[in-house]
Amino acid sequence: MKVTVVGAGNVGATCADVLATREIANEVVLVDIKEGFAEGKALDIWQKSPIIGYDSRTVGVTGDYSRTADSEVVVITSGLPRKPGMSRDDLISTNAGIVKSVTEQVVKYSPNAIIIVVSNPLDVMTYQAHLTSGLPRNKVFGMAGILDTARYRAFLAEALNVSPKDIQAVLMGGHGDTMVPLPRYTTVGGIPVTELIGKEQLDAIVQRTAVGGGELVKLMGTSAWYAPGAAAAQMVEAIVRDQRRVFPVCIKLEGEYGIDGVYLGAPVILGKNGIEKVIELQLNDEEKQLLETSRGHVKEVMDALDKMTEATA
């Protein structure tokens, strides 16, 4: 059992660390383009094994994808963060090129791998990886919904002074500002959250969740890594162990929710084949409108990528 994580930055290294610590795979391969970077991170994680007590081997390589051959799951975290003065289109163009190159190498050496995309902008990078790989949608999807719901659940646990373990929630749509909150599907120990918290406070928590990544950037000067890395690892675990967990993930919708050909977060069953099933919820009119707004935003970014691709063809 081999899992590869491409990108040994904070998110990738955290993902590899969680995978190893939880013994989700026999071998975790960490890949980066910076000389010695992945090797160092992997060695550090391996040297922690006698302290924490785990057997998973972590191996780091610089740009050598042959070492990743026959991986069952590959997590792509590669890409640059948006820098001051960089337009959205600049970020899309740069990261799309990186994700395209990485995906080509991944499918060359692991043609049967399931690919999880974490690179930003998440929805459109998932689109890029899907186009490049040529794999079916159940084998190429993005991590965002688990992170967004984790933030939402953490904020609710804090507000209600309860364990986050007892909070279950679903969010849909694009990653970030246009996400679609679904308080009707949020429960605390089986109790609808609306019975435990007022609408004004709940709305404030939903809004804080939508800008959750930005809050961390303001605090630290860089984007988050512990929660995103752990979220990606949780998806890998569901696949490797065929847990059939119900998670919101970014997937190409093909008629579900009346949407076709756009990559959006939706609840799915995640198991050994990747996405085993897309779950269609019965949304009310307000939720449908929010999802349509999110669809329009993501489609706009996808169209921008298409135009860039045509211009360079």
Side-chain angles (χ1 to χ4, degrees), residues 65 81 128 149 199 224 232 249 268 286 290 302:
Y65 282 85
Q128 177 67 75
T149 54
K199 185 179 185 304
V249 308
V268 306
E286 181 184 359
L290 289 171
M302 288 173 60

Side-chain angles (χ1 to χ4, degrees), residues 105-128:
Q105 293 297 313
V106 166
V107 296
K108 177 180 178 181
Y109 290 101
S110 301
N112 297 314
I114 291 170
I115 299 174
I116 299 172
V117 180
V118 184
S119 307
N120 278 317
L122 188 282
D123 309 293
V124 75
M125 290 306 108
T126 304
Y127 174 41
Q128 177 67 75

Side-chain angles (χ1 to χ4, degrees), residues 1-4 25-27 29 66-73:
M1 177 66 64
K2 182 192 291 186
V3 173
T4 289
N26 301 97
E27 183 179 24
V29 181
S66 66
R67 190 65 181 79
T68 73
D70 301 320
S71 294
E72 296 203 30
V73 184

Side-chain angles (χ1 to χ4, degrees), residues 167-284:
I167 300 177
Q168 293 296 322
V170 178
L171 296 173
M172 291 184 62
H175 180 43
D177 297 355
T178 63
M179 72 173 199
V180 180
L182 298 172
R184 290 194 303 124
Y185 294 99
T186 303
T187 61
V188 183
I191 303 166
V193 72
T194 49
E195 293 189 17
L196 301 174
I197 193 169
K199 185 179 185 304
E200 186 175 332
Q201 190 176 8
L202 183 58
D203 288 346
I205 288 172
V206 167
Q207 180 56 31
R208 186 183 179 191
T209 303
V211 296
E215 179 181 0
L216 289 164
V217 170
K218 287 179 182 178
L219 290 169
M220 304 188 296
T222 187
S223 53
W225 64 87
Y226 292 125
Q234 188 175 52
M235 291 175 72
V236 174
E237 181 177 26
I239 295 164
V240 169
R241 295 181 175 162
D242 192 22
Q243 293 175 329
R244 299 185 66 83
R245 298 289 304 273
V246 176
F247 288 138
V249 308
C250 177
I251 181 176
K252 179 185 180 183
L253 294 178
E254 296 180 344
E256 297 89 358
Y257 299 97
I259 297 171
D260 190 36
V262 178
Y263 292 72
L264 285 173
V268 306
I269 297 173
L270 206 57
K272 66 180 179 180
N273 298 307
I275 292 174
E276 307 282 354
K277 180 182 179 182
V278 178
I279 298 172
E280 284 199 72
L281 304 174
Q282 297 301 309
L283 303 182
N284 60 34

Side-chain angles (χ1 to χ4, degrees), residues 5 7-18 41 75 77 81 118 120 143 147 151 212-213 216-217 219-233:
V5 180
N10 288 331
V11 175
T14 299
C15 179
D17 184 46
V18 174
K41 292 285 185 79
V75 180
T77 72
V118 184
N120 278 317
M143 186 292 295
L147 173 60
R151 287 171 173 162
L216 289 164
V217 170
L219 290 169
M220 304 188 296
T222 187
S223 53
W225 64 87
Y226 292 125

Side-chain angles (χ1 to χ4, degrees), residues 2-8 12-13 16 27-47 56-68:
K2 182 192 291 186
V3 173
T4 289
V5 180
V6 183
E27 183 179 24
V28 180
V29 181
L30 197 55
V31 185
D32 203 274
I33 58 171
K34 184 178 179 182
E35 189 72 38
F37 195 56
E39 289 89 338
K41 292 285 185 79
L43 181 59
D44 194 14
I45 294 170
W46 174 239
Q47 289 174 351
S56 295
R57 290 296 305 269
T58 47
V59 177
V61 295
T62 302
D64 181 10
Y65 282 85
S66 66
R67 190 65 181 79
T68 73

Side-chain angles (χ1 to χ4, degrees), residues 120-144:
N120 278 317
L122 188 282
D123 309 293
V124 75
M125 290 306 108
T126 304
Y127 174 41
Q128 177 67 75
H130 195 183
L131 284 176
T132 304
S133 70
L135 294 170
R137 67 169 182 162
N138 69 298
K139 299 190 74 173
V140 186
F141 41 89
M143 186 292 295

